[in-house]
Amino acid sequence: MSTPRWWQRATVYQIYPRSFADSNGDGIGDLRGIIGRLDHLSALGVDVVWLSPVYPSPQDDNGYDISDYYDVDPVFGTLADFDELLAQAHARDIRVVLDLVVNHTSDEHPWFVESRDPASPKHDWYWWRSQPNNWGSRFSGPAWEKDERSGEYYLHLFSRKQPDLNWENPELRREIHRMMRWWLDRGVDGFRMDVINFIAKPVSLPDAPLADGDLYGDAESLYANGPRLHEFLQEMHREVFAGREDRLLTVGETPGTSVEEAQLLTDPARRELDMVFQFDHVELDQGHDKWDVRPFDLVALKRTLARWQTGLAERGWNSLYWNNHDQPRIVSRWGDDGEFRTLSAKALATVLHLHRGTPYVYQGEELGMTNMPFTSIEDFADIQSVNHYREATSVRGQSPSAVLAALRLRSRDNGRTPMQWDASPHAGFTSGTPWLRVNPNHATVNASSQVDDPASVFSHYRALIALRHSEPLVLTGRYSLLEPDHPALFAFTRLDGDHGLLVLANWSGAPLDVPAAAVSGWADASLVLGNYPGPASAGDRLRPWEAVVFRR
């Protein structure tokens, strides 16, 4: 392969600032709280911190509705606090990546306020129409809202307070590029780009097909990876990133993207993005939508991840993730958050981090944090969850108990409960009343009890991150999936010539005999890492949720 880029050996840690650490007792996390916890990240060994949005915002969608791209929301602190965070992180050799949300703004952004005047030059900075099409919002309801001032409808793929920007307008694009350069000049090390593949919508905005029983058309296939996406991204690279690439990380969130599309987006020769977040694996346990929860299928997961490993083996690069601010906790979703919480959390991490790509750790994942035991709709704060409950029960006539059952499993609030630092009343997150209730299991699942425990989930993540830094095979090794049809064994190799790694993971709570073919040729291999305290299995028989890595 070509000369490795720094981020190919790196591990990224995502911080959801609202829920990470509160320094002033108002119950909401802030920048000074993050500064106070940087040593935790340094001890973990991560290379990059990705911050979910900290810009000024009405907080309709917890900061993903931005009203000013050039400042920090007072709830999180000040620009001076941000500059100190940047300096303190850099002093620990940790880079800082910002969330870039430019598919839409807040309806309180000055651009949108001005655009409501049909005579304004900024009217064309958003999607205004005299008649809406049939598109549905990703947050329930129609994707169009009538504005009484203008008498027209504006497009919002998400909340009605998140109007979509019209990237067809070159003045808008120039303003976005200017803003991005401003942050890079300030010392920021790159961007995670929110739903960046939604920016190139078809100008005609055609109606979407309606499935039986649907109230609105599912238009994702129309607005995802639209006709000018690559042109817009290449222009962005030219105008913003050119000449700075060596120090930056650019990752795009790209729902509805195929392997073939990702090859184009992440091919270095095309100068678009360094890597993308794809959704194929995290949508395997859903049917018609995310609330239609289906049983987990390990065979499908293995085949999906292997398809991406193979597809981006020669061209492009993978992002590796289980969790983020939009996903439920993986140990509750696909692991065992009861008896085998610690072991399954370690096993899931082992499998993910030994794939080819850059792994992302979401806050609390390194502790094995679990989903929240929500009891009623009043427990939820997430706009997507609250809107779905209202539409599903009052419009579609679904049973409140059935809707709540799906929310408990899939709501984004599961990943947004406060970070569990210690066993004190609010988990060390705040001295005040937390904005979202702390998970009651913080008394036993917390950072304080794990950081110095060699058998903890935290210590296992630290070992995996260190392995990425020291073992070339994690970067260069060719990926091969073993036993693809086995219902409980996740096994693969990373090979480079005569050298290789073998990864075996028992994805179940029962002992597992490993097929002889999976370990053939590895009799003399040495153990690199295991997730059980003490001696690991030899590889022929795995204990419940046991994961081992061998080198030869």
Side-chain angles (χ1 to χ4, degrees):
M1 64 182 295
S2 59
T3 303
R5 299 285 300 279
W6 66 266
W7 39 259
Q8 292 179 307
R9 295 187 186 278
T11 298
V12 183
Y13 187 97
Q14 183 191 357
I15 288 178
Y16 195 67
R18 192 176 188 86
S19 300
F20 191 66
D22 171 25
S23 70
N24 61 8
D26 66 356
I28 299 173
D30 48 46
L31 295 178
R32 301 212 67 81
I34 297 171
I35 293 169
R37 296 292 186 177
L38 284 175
D39 285 344
H40 174 84
L41 306 183
S42 186
L44 186 59
V46 299
D47 306 275
V48 186
V49 164
W50 149 30
L51 295 180
S52 283
V54 294
Y55 316 93
S57 165
Q59 302 293 325
D60 187 62
D61 186 25
N62 282 5
Y64 283 87
D65 49 318
I66 295 169
S67 57
D68 181 357
Y69 285 111
Y70 289 92
D71 206 349
V72 169
D73 194 297
V75 77
F76 297 127
T78 66
L79 271 174
D81 293 330
F82 179 83
D83 290 340
E84 182 178 346
L85 169 58
L86 201 59
Q88 294 277 1
H90 286 169
R92 292 166 173 81
D93 293 324
I94 298 173
R95 305 185 196 221
V96 177
V97 166
L98 284 186
D99 225 313
L100 182 76
V101 187
V102 288
N103 174 72
H104 48 264
T105 67
S106 166
D107 65 345
E108 298 181 30
H109 194 293
W111 297 349
F112 183 75
V113 174
E114 185 176 337
S115 83
R116 294 173 66 198
D117 177 2
S120 167
K122 287 193 171 60
H123 190 65
D124 192 43
W125 286 28
Y126 295 83
W127 293 96
W128 290 97
R129 292 292 185 271
S130 57
Q131 292 295 326
N133 62 23
N134 71 345
W135 291 7
S137 163
R138 300 174 78 88
F139 285 178
S140 301
W144 294 88
E145 182 77 7
K146 187 169 186 179
D147 175 61
E148 296 304 325
R149 176 181 170 186
S150 66
E152 294 182 320
Y153 295 83
Y154 64 85
L155 176 67
H156 60 91
L157 295 182
F158 295 89
S159 162
R160 63 179 181 81
K161 289 183 66 63
Q162 291 172 294
D164 278 53
L165 290 163
N166 177 13
W167 276 65
E168 294 293 318
N169 187 298
E171 289 296 325
L172 167 72
R173 300 201 303 274
R174 280 193 283 271
E175 182 57 39
I176 289 172
H177 298 157
R178 184 172 77 88
M179 174 269 294
M180 295 172 71
R181 290 192 296 266
W182 187 84
W183 282 106
L184 295 182
D185 290 343
R186 203 171 192 97
V188 167
D189 301 293
F191 299 100
R192 175 268 187 186
M193 304 179 189
D194 189 65
V195 292
I196 196 64
N197 65 323
F198 290 2
I199 63 174
K201 300 169 182 69
V203 176
S204 61
L205 299 179
D207 277 345
L210 274 172
D212 289 344
D214 278 356
L215 301 174
Y216 308 102
D218 180 1
E220 183 180 280
S221 62
L222 298 176
Y223 58 70
N225 307 305
R228 299 184 69 188
L229 176 63
H230 298 290
E231 175 191 344
F232 291 158
L233 292 177
Q234 288 168 8
E235 178 186 59
M236 177 190 290
H237 192 283
R238 262 193 328 271
E239 297 298 323
V240 179
F241 304 131
R244 320 189 200 216
E245 299 98 329
D246 288 348
R247 76 171 180 88
L248 301 182
L249 168 65
T250 60
V251 53
E253 182 194 31
T254 56
T257 292
S258 66
V259 171
E260 293 72 25
E261 190 72 25
Q263 289 172 345
L264 299 177
L265 290 165
T266 65
D267 181 353
R270 293 174 56 85
R271 292 176 170 81
E272 296 185 25
L273 301 170
D274 293 330
M275 62 189 82
V276 297
F277 289 126
Q278 56 89 7
F279 284 65
D280 283 359
H281 67 303
V282 294
E283 293 177 348
L284 288 172
D285 57 358
Q286 72 180 47
H288 177 67
D289 58 27
K290 72 177 285 183
W291 311 111
D292 180 14
V293 182
R294 303 296 174 86
F296 172 67
D297 183 344
L298 179 63
V299 171
L301 176 66
K302 291 191 291 185
R303 291 186 180 277
T304 299
L305 293 179
R307 180 163 49 83
W308 280 87
Q309 290 285 293
T310 302
L312 298 185
E314 303 299 329
R315 189 164 49 122
W317 192 251
N318 284 286
S319 296
L320 310 173
Y321 75 97
W322 294 136
N323 295 284
N324 58 41
H325 63 290
D326 286 335
Q327 300 294 333
R329 293 287 180 178
I330 195 63
V331 72
S332 296
R333 184 179 187 178
W334 292 342
D336 181 335
D337 61 7
E339 177 185 0
F340 297 112
R341 183 192 63 82
T342 295
L343 288 168
S344 67
K346 293 180 184 181
L348 287 160
T350 303
V351 167
L352 188 76
H353 284 238
L354 269 296
H355 277 69
R356 182 179 185 269
T358 297
Y360 287 70
V361 178
Y362 179 66
Q363 63 184 48
E365 181 182 345
E366 78 279 17
L367 308 177
M369 279 180 60
T370 67
N371 279 357
M372 180 76 175
F374 297 109
T375 58
S376 71
I377 189 60
E378 285 72 29
D379 290 339
F380 294 89
D382 170 36
I383 184 174
Q384 183 185 38
S385 301
V386 173
N387 284 358
H388 169 69
Y389 181 86
R390 182 173 59 247
E391 180 178 293
T393 56
S394 63
V395 179
R396 299 178 185 272
Q398 296 178 13
S399 158
S401 61
V403 177
L404 274 174
L407 289 179
R408 289 189 193 99
L409 293 173
R410 299 303 302 274
S411 172
R412 302 191 300 177
D413 280 333
N414 282 300
R416 301 177 179 188
T417 57
M419 180 71 173
Q420 294 167 203
W421 294 107
D422 57 41
S424 62
H426 296 311
F429 164 71
T430 182
S431 59
T433 301
W435 75 276
L436 194 63
R437 193 158 55 93
V438 174
N439 195 313
N441 68 8
H442 73 275
T444 53
V445 181
N446 61 69
S448 179
S449 65
Q450 292 195 30
V451 170
D452 296 323
D453 178 3
S456 67
V457 179
F458 179 91
S459 292
H460 194 75
Y461 268 83
R462 180 163 51 194
L464 284 167
I465 293 168
L467 183 63
R468 289 193 61 82
H469 291 156
S470 63
E471 176 52 72
L473 285 164
V474 183
L475 175 66
T476 63
R478 185 181 71 258
Y479 180 92
S480 295
L481 179 65
L482 308 176
E483 303 294 330
D485 297 318
H486 197 293
L489 176 67
F490 203 137
F492 59 91
T493 56
R494 302 292 310 282
L495 303 177
D496 188 355
D498 295 332
H499 303 281
L501 298 172
L502 170 66
V503 180
L504 303 171
N506 177 3
W507 208 290
S508 78
L512 174 68
D513 290 320
V514 177
V519 293
S520 176
W522 293 85
D524 297 326
S526 58
L527 179 71
V528 176
L529 190 64
N531 67 335
Y532 266 75
S537 298
D540 56 342
R541 183 173 173 81
L542 298 174
R543 291 166 286 189
W545 286 103
E546 185 166 19
V548 288
V549 182
F550 293 100
R551 181 197 290 116
R552 71 177 184 197

